[in-house]
Amino acid sequence: MPVIKQLFKQNEEWAARTSDADPEFFDNLSEQQSPEYLWIGCSDSRVPANQIVGLLPGEVFVHRNIANVVVHTDLNCLSVIQYAVEVLKVKHIMVVGHYGCGGVKAAMGNESFGLIDNWLRHIKDVYRAHKARIEAIEDTDKRFNLMCELNVREQVANVCHTTIVQNAWRSGQELSVHGWIYGLDNGLIRDMKVTVSGVDDISRIYSMDGAE
Ligand SMILES: [Zn+2]
């Protein structure tokens, strides 16, 4: 059987299994979605959002791009955050990086990969901001791990700096932004303990008083 056809077969089997387990499942799901979580993660095929945290369809809103980068002018990511916060009213946004991230690794080198170099430049900015701390580490694996972690921290800050998240906090909406990192080698997520739950926790320079 051609490989693509196999996917349709697997889909039919999955739909049948899911309906058998819960005959109302698809009826309920097609009515509405009310996820409490927005997951901003890496496109890496080894980091599937729902599966890792054991959530079903309908339970997590997902945005993925290479190296889980949140860029202030990225209409795609900003639209996902705006819809998730203002319409779905998610209570948690998690930026989920992972060790061994190819995007982070590429950004740490000088090889050109084409158009994507422009995207990875945002991660080079993270490197530049923390250059002394990174270059103080001799071991290249440890350096790489630290960069994966620092990238998560920076992207958590970028989420918090959006006017969308600031407006939500100023209007009293319950919303926390978390930074997590996933280990490809053990399947475990680690909370980096950089959770931000209010506008008082962000740098003053990014604070927009009465932002609209
Ligand atoms: Zn990655």
Side-chain angles (χ1 to χ4, degrees), residues 42 44 67 98 101-102:
C42 183
D44 192 305
H98 67 102
C101 183

Side-chain angles (χ1 to χ4, degrees), residues 122-139:
H122 295 289
I123 306 172
K124 286 185 182 287
D125 292 342
V126 177
Y127 187 101
R128 184 165 50 85
H130 301 276
K131 190 168 182 281
R133 186 174 163 199
I134 295 162
E135 293 185 356
I137 297 171
E138 288 288 323
D139 185 271

Side-chain angles (χ1 to χ4, degrees), residues 42-44 46-47 65-68 97-104:
C42 183
S43 297
D44 192 305
R46 297 165 296 178
V47 196
N65 62 41
I66 291 174
N68 42 271
H98 67 102
Y99 293 115
C101 183
V104 172

Side-chain angles (χ1 to χ4, degrees), residues 44-62:
D44 192 305
S45 62
R46 297 165 296 178
V47 196
N50 289 64
Q51 218 168 328
I52 288 173
V53 283
L55 290 175
L56 292 167
E59 292 184 316
V60 58
F61 203 59
V62 175

